Amino acid sequence: MAQGPAPEPVIEFRIDRHTGVATYLQIVHQTEHALRLGLLEPGDKLPTAREVVEATAINPNTVLKAYRELERSGLVEARRGLGTFVRATLGSGTADSPLRAELDEWTGRAKEAGLDREDVEALFGSALEAHFGTMTKGTS
């Protein structure tokens, strides 16, 4: 019985070696971010450690450490011989929410006004602090 092509991964990790954030934490944060946006849902399969290593050129133990951290927090579960699957979601802000559309419009206006990424991040961070208090977790 012939099988079709493998499904596209639900998430692709991007590693930035210049942030000072540990690589495994970047994977954890990106996964949490995707869960908050609704890009990952319960039942979705995460890429295998081998797939992440091939795409990012990081050590397989780093991927496994990140997946263990996500498993400890109850967000994913490893199924022996099958892979690692999303178990829970975070937040309620989906990628197609009206708030996301408003934020996209605002970001576009900020760019047109000549602000660069760092300016926008500073403004947004300031607004977050004003409404939610000091952020204690690193950004993804």
Side-chain angles (χ1 to χ4, degrees), residues 92-139:
S92 59
T94 62
D96 60 352
S97 76
L99 289 174
R100 170 61 191 257
E102 290 177 35
L103 185 57
D104 282 343
E105 290 175 27
W106 179 86
T107 307
R109 288 195 315 272
K111 185 176 181 182
E112 289 172 6
L115 278 70
D116 64 17
R117 182 184 182 103
E118 289 78 18
D119 295 334
V120 170
E121 286 176 350
L123 279 173
F124 191 71
S126 174
L128 285 174
E129 279 196 37
H131 293 277
F132 294 98
T134 303
M135 294 178 17
T136 58
K137 188 174 186 180
T139 59

Side-chain angles (χ1 to χ4, degrees), residues 47-104:
T48 65
R50 177 178 295 213
E51 290 168 337
V52 177
V53 168
E54 288 174 1
T56 61
I58 61 174
N59 187 301
N61 290 329
T62 302
V63 180
L64 296 174
K65 182 176 183 179
Y67 283 12
R68 279 192 306 271
E69 180 70 24
L70 290 164
E71 192 169 10
R72 256 194 305 278
S73 65
L75 296 174
V76 303
E77 65 178 331
R79 298 181 192 158
R80 196 167 219 36
L82 297 175
T84 303
F85 294 83
V86 174
R87 185 173 170 199
T89 190
L90 291 171
S92 59
T94 62
D96 60 352
S97 76
L99 289 174
R100 170 61 191 257
E102 290 177 35
L103 185 57
D104 282 343

Side-chain angles (χ1 to χ4, degrees), residues 7 14 16 22 39 41 47 74 77 79 83 90 93:
R14 306 264 187 244
D16 184 345
L39 302 173
E41 298 177 345
E77 65 178 331
R79 298 181 192 158
L90 291 171

Side-chain angles (χ1 to χ4, degrees), residues 19-38:
T19 64
V21 176
T23 304
Y24 88 95
L25 285 176
Q26 290 183 51
I27 293 171
V28 169
H29 293 162
Q30 289 174 39
T31 303
E32 292 171 341
H33 188 80
L35 289 166
R36 288 188 188 285
L37 290 175

